[in-house]
Amino acid sequence: MSTYSRSLLRVLLKSVLVGFILINVSFQVFSQHIVISDSLAANSEQLQLKMGVAGIGRMYKYRFGNYGLISSREGWTTINSKTNFWGTKVESSSDQKFSFVFGNKTTDTAFVNASTKTKIKELQEIQVNEHFSLGDYALLESTDWLSAMISLKSNADESWLLLMNASKGLKAPNFNEGVLSNGSRKIIVRAITSNENGTDKRMFPAKGYELFENGRSLGAVQYFGGGSFGMNKGIVWLSKNNDASTNLMLGAAMTAIYHFKFSTLANDEWN
């Protein structure tokens, strides 16, 4: 190898090394998570949510820490839409059902049966020719619903109901919250982002939910990592003060929430 070739090779290797360093530094600088409460941050472990592989009629094999899906079933998505005569007003809706068995490497398991619904009303611009268009684009209403029934093998007589509702648009209230209850206990599911303290100035901040019971944080789930490449960056926090059954139930609920939000992420983030 000539002296010139060796010099060129060294320059290329240095350029590659600098590139890896810059990518690593930028990831550390711009990777911001949802801002969870101080009490949860001090009494929980941050668990990376991994999606695994999805099969036909099966959900992604979600897992985090010692928790994960044992089996699952996912129905077909039913989509309906209609427009006005000119095609400037569009209404669409989609429905889906899914169920899964969830465990944490113990003898206890959680059974989840869930259904989702999305409804969108929007105005669309129709391009008549290169100089003239009809109408303007506007999101009038975008609403997502999730309902899930959760039961544990160790306590088949008790069932938890998870209800989620997220809506926005010119003619819809800006709402994003849920509730998880077994009749005697009530857990509020509150939407949070990485910009709670005004420190994340990205166009798309990280998004997730934190779960509270009587003002005490039980856990949190991040379903969107923020930025232009924020998908598939799920994180779960479970309080160390929870008992094992509560954490199993919460883990199952968070998995249902993550699947629900990941499925509607394009509508949630880009509209």
Side-chain angles (χ1 to χ4, degrees):
M1 181 181 293
S2 66
T3 303
Y4 174 77
S5 297
R6 285 195 295 269
S7 299
L8 180 60
L9 181 59
R10 281 195 291 270
V11 170
L12 290 174
L13 289 174
K14 287 181 179 179
S15 299
V16 171
L17 179 60
V18 170
F20 277 122
I21 293 173
L22 290 176
I23 290 173
N24 185 54
V25 170
S26 64
F27 178 78
Q28 292 180 16
V29 171
F30 294 105
S31 179
Q32 299 187 45
H33 305 317
I34 55 175
V35 180
I36 62 177
S37 61
D38 292 339
S39 61
L40 181 62
N43 293 284
S44 65
E45 181 182 359
Q46 182 177 302
L47 304 172
Q48 192 71 33
L49 194 154
K50 301 177 182 180
M51 296 183 64
V53 179
I56 298 176
R58 297 290 184 268
M59 299 165 55
Y60 289 100
K61 203 159 187 179
Y62 301 109
R63 64 187 187 278
F64 48 89
N66 291 325
Y67 298 86
L69 259 67
I70 299 173
S71 62
S72 68
R73 180 175 295 179
E74 187 173 35
W76 293 102
T77 300
T78 303
I79 301 175
N80 294 293
S81 64
K82 62 180 181 179
T83 65
N84 61 356
F85 178 79
W86 294 102
T88 55
K89 188 174 182 179
V90 180
E91 295 184 14
S92 61
S93 64
S94 61
D95 301 84
Q96 188 185 47
K97 294 182 179 181
F98 62 91
S99 61
F100 60 91
V101 180
F102 184 82
N104 65 339
K105 297 184 178 180
T106 66
T107 57
D108 202 5
T109 51
F111 304 92
V112 181
N113 288 286
S115 62
T116 67
K117 183 179 180 65
T118 297
K119 183 178 180 181
I120 299 174
K121 294 182 180 180
E122 56 188 352
L123 300 179
Q124 292 189 347
E125 181 182 62
I126 302 299
Q127 194 73 34
V128 179
N129 56 50
E130 61 178 327
H131 302 293
F132 177 73
S133 59
L134 183 65
D136 295 296
Y137 175 79
L139 179 64
L140 300 179
E141 178 184 345
S142 174
T143 306
D144 300 315
W145 294 273
L146 165 68
S147 63
M149 189 68 72
I150 305 169
S151 60
L152 302 187
K153 180 181 178 181
S154 59
N155 190 359
D157 294 330
E158 178 184 80
S159 295
W160 289 81
L161 178 61
L162 170 66
L163 297 174
M164 301 285 297
N165 185 344
S167 63
K168 62 181 179 179
L170 297 176
K171 294 187 177 181
N174 193 348
F175 185 82
N176 191 2
E177 199 166 87
V179 62
L180 176 62
S181 177
N182 65 351
S184 58
R185 296 176 62 184
K186 182 178 180 181
I187 299 171
I188 300 300
V189 185
R190 188 177 303 160
I192 54 175
T193 72
S194 55
N195 197 34
E196 295 296 303
N197 301 325
T199 57
D200 188 353
K201 301 302 182 182
R202 292 177 296 177
M203 181 179 296
F204 303 109
K207 295 186 177 184
Y209 295 93
E210 189 165 0
L211 291 78
F212 296 88
E213 183 178 25
N214 298 322
R216 183 176 76 87
S217 177
L218 305 181
V221 56
Q222 174 179 291
Y223 64 86
F224 181 72
S228 301
F229 303 97
M231 298 182 72
N232 196 14
K233 291 184 179 179
I235 300 174
V236 168
W237 295 263
L238 291 169
S239 174
K240 295 178 181 178
N241 296 325
N242 300 336
D243 59 61
S245 294
T246 296
N247 270 344
L248 179 61
M249 182 274 297
L250 291 173
M254 290 179 185
T255 300
I257 292 172
Y258 187 87
H259 185 69
F260 163 60
K261 296 304 295 185
F262 189 83
S263 300
T264 59
L265 197 56
N267 172 50
D268 183 65
E269 299 303 323
W270 309 116
N271 284 329

